[in-house]
Structure formats: structure tokens, C-alpha cells
Amino acid sequence: MGRFRLRTLAMAAGSFVGITALTVVVSAGGAAERRIQATGRHHFGESSILVMAGGAPLMSGPRGEAARLTLDDAEALAREAPGIESWDPQQVLPGAPVKRGDATATARVLGASERAPLVWSRGVTQGVFFDAAAVAQAARVAVIGETVARQLFGNEDPLDAEILVRNVPFRVIGVLEPFGTDIHGMDRDAEIVVPISTAMRRLLNVDTIVAIKLLVRDPSRVDEAAGEVRRILRERHGLAEGQKSDFSMVTAILVKKMVARVQRVLIVFLPLVAGISLLAGGAASAALMLASVSGRVSENGLRRAVGARAKDIGLQFLLETTLTTLAGGLAGLAVGGGLALYVIRRFHLEGGLSPLAVALGLGLSLAVGLLAGVLPARRGAALAPAAALR
Amino acid sequence: MIALEGVTKTYTRPGGDSVEALRGVSLSINRGEMVAILGTSGSGKSTLLSVLGLLDVPTGGRYLLDDADVSSLAGDAQARLRNARIGFVFQAFHLLPRTSALQNVELPLLYSERSSLDGLARKALESVGLADRMKHTPEELSGGQQQRVAIARALVNEPDLLLADEPTGNLDSRTAGEILDLLGALNAAGRTVVLVTHDAALAARCKRVVRIEDGRIASDEVNAVNVVNA
Ligand SMILES: Nc1ncnc2c1ncn2[C@@H]1O[C@H](COP(=O)(O)OP(=O)(O)OP(=O)(O)O)[C@@H](O)[C@H]1O
Ligand SMILES: [Mg+2]
């Protein structure tokens, strides 16, 4: 091999690049996909309906001021739509200054009902969540996320301490279950949850809410319930037939579609890119190996002349390409694995080098080597020794 | 040992025209002979030697090696014969570059079916007088030394037939003489040697000289005196 070092290196580089890409995509892509699915399930179980103020579709920026969604709307929906198990109204203060003594932080403040832990599947790890009485009295109590707790309290116990949210004093009664970063890259532990009434009256001074999440008892009837929700809300908002809704709705089905769209990128597109680069690497290997056959005609002729059988020559070529691409593949696995781990850590994903990536990487570089070697092996073996030595 | 019966070889070029390189060669060579094949360029010497060395298949006729027809043998069986019974020396040496003399000589052993191969390559190199150049690569050896390495490679499997196609063609006359002496010594030690040359002076030093003209044997003579210094 030493005699054809550059060619060998180039050949190994082909499978190296391909396998690196593949490893990153399969490992990091897999982790991202798991995250998306978990997030989807977490926030959006099969039985959820999310109603948001404003006609804009999901996740497309701020909604119009004209949009009006009220607590009365929420109560009416819970009462009149069929099979509603629970519901939670939401109000949001996107970035509020929070203080405790000299320590400051910026947090997203959410107003919610006492049913939020059930409806959003997120409870507390310390203390308690606020109860119905707190909501009824618009009590100044807060449940804070871990990031907020760390920024304001360090290692101290936050429970029962007083914090200022937009200069309004609140008593900390609980710490939210950690969540980490969501698919939009937002730190969901930099949040504070307060009673919806407190948020509306004391922090925002509004009589509207931004969203309602409804849980349907029977997941198979979500569509039916969603239809009723739309009808009731349009009626309450006095919308005529053909007029655009001043609210938007998300159901599990819609979320599934979105997740599927992201997954298509992760599962189909990225591996396609990796596959193409691997193919290119394989083609390059084959071309280089063929060049190597013509460059080694006399060597092969000589080997034949001293007793090598045609299949010995073929096997030698096959072995050389396979070992070369395999070496490139192993290097690709190492580098790709490192990159994948970096990406996973950088984006707060879970998981590591996927066993699938390892299997695929080894298998494919082996296959590329074999395929790239077949033609050269045939060529090399077919020549009569005399012709090869001329 | 060797018997060619009406051997022909026709090369067909991709264009369709064909060249009759051998036009019915019948020749027999006994064990232990040293034969020079003499002829002008293009007369068919290399083609004849390739057929003898099983490097090429004749178009017609028979090739008997120890009374067995080898021209119709399968490729693998021919490879085995090339490995075990025939040593071939080329005008252009054909050594693997950047590979030590020892490794070059070991090449045929790679494909050998013999059980004990230890020390054979060393022994072969010693027998051609290159005991002190084992680790040298072809680039570090003179032309004469390179051809000695090639001869050692042809000898390593202890074949009984040694074929040399203009082994001295790339060497100066003094070195050529030394190589010829070496081949003579190998013949004296019992090997059958067939040597191709277009140099009548070199051929004259062999006991038997076969002249080829235009793909046919023109003469086949035994020299009165064997002048090779054995
Ligand atoms: N592969 C081939 N295809 C076509 N013609 C060939 C081929 N090999 C040899 N020939 C022709 O066959 C004839 C005999 O060639 P050969 O190589 O045996 O000659 P030679 O006696 O060894 O000559 P030289 O002394 O120049 O080596 C020549 O006319 C040559 O052109
Ligand atoms: Mg010739």
C-alpha cells in the first residue's frame, strides 16, 4: 500500500467524508428527532386542543390586537364542547424583569390556572403549585423555573422568599419541573408561572387571555371536539359565515403534521445528503482503483507470471479497496461521532453515537469498498500475463 | 521434457488485422539442456518463450511438458505450474519498485503451495551473489544487480525450467557476460535453461542454438564447444 500512498489516501477520504456526514446525521438527527417527538408528546398529547387568540397560524409571529379571547370564552368552551376533561387559560408576559435583592433575571411570565400541572403535564419539584383559592383571590404567589431559581437564589432555598416581578412583589411557593430547551431553542426553565388572574390584573392590566388549552377525555374524539370548539367560539365572537376566524387552533393532528415535516428533513433529506456523499466517495474510490489497475498492469502481470491465480489478483484488489474504504469509514465514524456529540451537547439533546450509525458506517464503507473493488478486480484478473508484461 | 508440436500463435488486433507470430513451431528440449533462441526483432522469440512459460496460450498445436498436454489446462492449473516448475527472467527485470530485494524474491512464495518456505528467498539471493543486498530496493541496485535479483526470484521455488527473455538486453557487455555465466552455472547445476537473444555472440556461448525466422524455426544446431564458463 505504501507504494500508492496518495491514491490510497484519496480513496480513504471518499468513504471518510461520507461516513462522517452519515454518522453526524444519524446520531445527531436521531437525537433531535427524539427530542421533537418527546416535546410533541409532552406538550401535545393526542387529546389536546390549543386555541390561540388571533387568526395567524401557529408560530408565525405576533397576533393582531383586535383578537379577543377571554376567560368567559374559555369557560364557555369547557362547559359546552363535548367531552372536555380539563382546561387551562394562558396569559403571557414575554420578558419581564425579575428581582430579588441585588440579583436580577429576565423571565417569561405565564399566567395559568391551578389546572396547569395536569393540562400541560408539568408539575413542581419543590414546594407546591398554586391552588384554586389563589387563582380566585389573584394571589401574588409564583412558581419559578430552575434557571430563574439559580439566577436569583444560587444555592439558597427559594421557597417562601419574596421576588419582584415588574416591581410587583410575589412569594415563591414552588419550583417547576425542569424542561430544558424546547425546539425553538428557548430555555423553558427561565419561566415563572403565576395565577392567571394575578397576571391579568396586577401584571398586564388586561381582560383578555392569549390561549386556552383543552384536554379531551377520549383522544379518538378530538376532531369532533375541535369542530365544536370552533363553532362555539365563532358564534361567541359573532363571526358571520365566510368571515375569517379571529383565533387559531392547533390539535394533535396538526402538530403531528408539523413534526412529520421536521422529521422528513431529519430522516429523509439529511441521510440523502450523507448517502450521496458516500456514493460520491464510493465512485471516487472505484475510479481511483481502476486507475490503480492500469497503473499496476505490469505488477499484476508479474504476479501472474510467478504463479498468482486470477482470483489471487482479484482478491488482492478487493482486499485493498475494502481495507482502504473501511479505514476511511472508521476515521469517519470517529470524527462524525465527535461532531455528533458536539452537536448533541450544543443543542441540549440527549443520546450519543447511535449504534445504527456505527453499524451503517461500518457496513456501508465495507460495501463501498467491495463494490468499488469488483470492477478493478475483474479487470486486473482478466489480463493474460504475457499481455500484461508487454 | 518439453515438446512443442506445430505450435501457432496468431495475434488478432482490435482493428481486425492479425499477425501470425508463430507459424507452426515444433521443438523438443531435454532436461538439463541450455538452449539459445536467436532471431531478428519481430521474428517471434518472445512469443515462443511466453508459450513455453505458460504466459500465453498458443492458437494451435500442442505443448507437452513432461508428456502432459499443458496448453489446454485451466488457468489455475497453469498458474500452479508457473509457480512451481517455471522460473521466468525478463529483459526489463520487472521488479516491484520501493520493495526490498528480499521481498521481491519472496513474491513467488506468496502463491506457493509448498509447506516450508523459510529461508528460501535468502538462499536464492545468496546463490546469485547478493547476500549483502537483501534490504536494498531496486532503485538502490545497479542493472546487473537488479537482474540478479530477478534471477533469484525465478529460482526461489526451485523450478526445473528457467526461461530468460533477453536477460542481458539492458546490460553492458561485461555485466551481460556475468549474467550469462550465472545462467550457465545454474544449468550446470541441473536446470534446463532456455534463453532468448538477438546477440549471436551470446548465443554462440550456448550449447544449442535455435534460430527463428518469421515465426518458423530456421535452424537448430548444437555447438561443437560449449563455451559458457560453468
Ligand atoms: N499482443 C500483440 N498483438 C499483436 N501483435 C503482436 C503482439 N505481440 C507480438 N506481436 C507481433 O508478433 C510478432 C512477434 O513478436 P515477438 O514479441 O515475439 O518478437 P521478438 O522476436 O521477441 O522481437 P524482439 O526481438 O523485438 O523482442 C511481431 O510482429 C509483433 O509485432
Ligand atoms: Mg522479444
Side-chain angles (χ1 to χ4, degrees), chain B:
Chain B
M1 177 168 156
I2 287 173
L4 295 183
E5 297 173 358
V7 165
T8 61
K9 177 72 191 180
T10 308
Y11 292 106
T12 312
R13 306 250 315 284
D17 52 333
S18 55
V19 180
E20 288 180 60
L22 296 178
R23 304 167 186 254
V25 173
S26 296
L27 175 71
S28 72
I29 297 171
N30 293 318
R31 190 171 296 277
E33 274 196 281
M34 179 145 179
V35 182
I37 295 176
L38 188 66
T40 54
S41 183
S43 56
K45 307 181 297 292
S46 294
T47 306
L48 177 59
L49 207 67
S50 287
V51 168
L52 287 177
L54 294 174
L55 299 181
D56 218 341
V57 269
T59 312
R62 295 211 302 165
Y63 174 13
L64 303 178
L65 186 61
D66 283 338
D67 300 325
D69 188 347
V70 292
S71 48
S72 58
L73 280 177
D76 283 4
Q78 289 196 346
R80 209 169 299 127
L81 282 176
R82 282 199 296 271
N83 182 251
R85 299 209 41 199
I86 303 171
F88 212 107
V89 179
F90 308 90
Q91 177 177 356
F93 317 147
H94 286 309
L95 296 175
L96 297 183
R98 290 181 284 280
T99 306
S100 75
L102 191 63
Q103 283 174 308
N104 263 293
V105 175
E106 280 169 348
L107 195 66
L109 301 179
L110 222 63
Y111 308 104
S112 173
E113 286 169 345
R114 294 167 59 169
S115 49
S116 118
L117 304 169
D118 274 4
L120 285 179
R122 269 167 201 287
K123 219 180 82 193
L125 272 171
E126 278 159 15
S127 74
V128 298
L130 284 179
D132 54 342
R133 295 284 192 277
M134 306 245 184
K135 297 273 178 278
H136 290 231
T137 63
E139 294 80 4
E140 300 164 341
L141 295 171
S142 72
Q145 288 170 332
Q146 288 183 53
Q147 193 59 298
R148 282 167 191 272
V149 173
I151 292 172
R153 180 180 63 198
L155 292 175
V156 70
N157 255 336
E158 298 171 329
D160 41 17
L161 179 58
L162 196 60
L163 305 174
D165 190 355
E166 303 201 42
T168 59
N170 286 2
L171 303 175
D172 63 62
S173 59
R174 220 196 85 203
T175 320
E178 285 170 14
I179 292 293
L180 202 68
D181 289 345
L182 176 59
L183 292 175
L186 290 167
N187 172 247
R191 285 192 180 74
T192 312
V193 176
V194 180
L195 167 77
V196 161
T197 181
H198 57 243
D199 182 343
L202 277 183
R205 296 175 60 184
C206 297
K207 200 170 185 179
R208 179 175 168 195
V209 178
V210 175
R211 264 173 209 283
I212 301 262
E213 267 169 35
D214 202 17
R216 288 192 187 89
I217 293 182
S219 72
D220 187 347
E221 295 163 355
V222 175
N223 282 335
V225 226
N226 179 7
V227 278
V228 165
N229 178 9

Side-chain angles (χ1 to χ4, degrees), chain A residues 88-153:
Chain A
D88 185 55
Q90 285 231 316
Q91 186 46 275
V92 173
L93 189 56
V98 188
K99 266 188 272 182
R100 180 236 172 195
D102 290 336
T104 61
T106 303
R108 197 163 90 108
V109 182
L110 294 166
S113 73
E114 73 281 3
R115 294 175 301 276
L118 168 75
V119 174
W120 295 96
S121 325
R122 189 181 185 191
V124 293
T125 50
Q126 285 179 57
V128 293
F129 207 83
F130 47 79
D131 57 12
V135 176
Q137 294 156 19
R140 283 179 281 110
V141 291
V143 182
I144 64 177
E146 278 191 346
T147 303
V148 180
R150 188 161 17 85
Q151 284 169 343
L152 296 185
F153 295 95

Side-chain angles (χ1 to χ4, degrees), chain A residues 230-249:
Chain A
R230 179 180 306 279
R231 192 192 59 74
I232 294 165
L233 216 48
R234 284 185 66 88
E235 193 182 296
R236 286 182 62 87
H237 289 193
L239 296 168
E241 186 104 4
Q243 209 174 335
K244 233 173 143 254
S245 289
D246 58 355
F247 59 90
S248 55
M249 287 175 58

Side-chain angles (χ1 to χ4, degrees), chain A residues 4 9 17 65 89 112 123 136 159 192 196 201 208-209 228 253 267 269 285 304 313 323:
Chain A
F4 299 91
L9 219 64
V17 170
E65 285 301 315
L159 293 185
I192 296 178
I196 179 84
R201 270 180 252 155
T208 55
I209 57 178
E228 270 306 286
I253 294 171
I267 298 182
F269 180 67
S285 295
R304 297 291 303 280
I313 301 294
L323 282 180

Side-chain angles (χ1 to χ4, degrees), chain A residues 299-360:
Chain A
E299 180 192 329
N300 288 328
L302 176 73
R303 286 178 186 272
R304 297 291 303 280
V306 300
R309 293 162 303 176
K311 62 180 157 215
D312 291 325
I313 301 294
L315 212 66
Q316 189 194 341
F317 272 108
L318 222 53
L319 206 71
E320 274 179 32
T321 44
T322 307
L323 282 180
T324 307
T325 55
L326 199 63
L330 279 174
L333 266 179
V335 172
L339 278 174
L341 288 182
Y342 171 76
V343 169
I344 286 170
R345 201 159 311 148
R346 171 79 181 65
F347 293 100
H348 309 282
L349 303 171
E350 271 151 46
L353 185 58
S354 124
L356 178 69
V358 176
L360 267 180

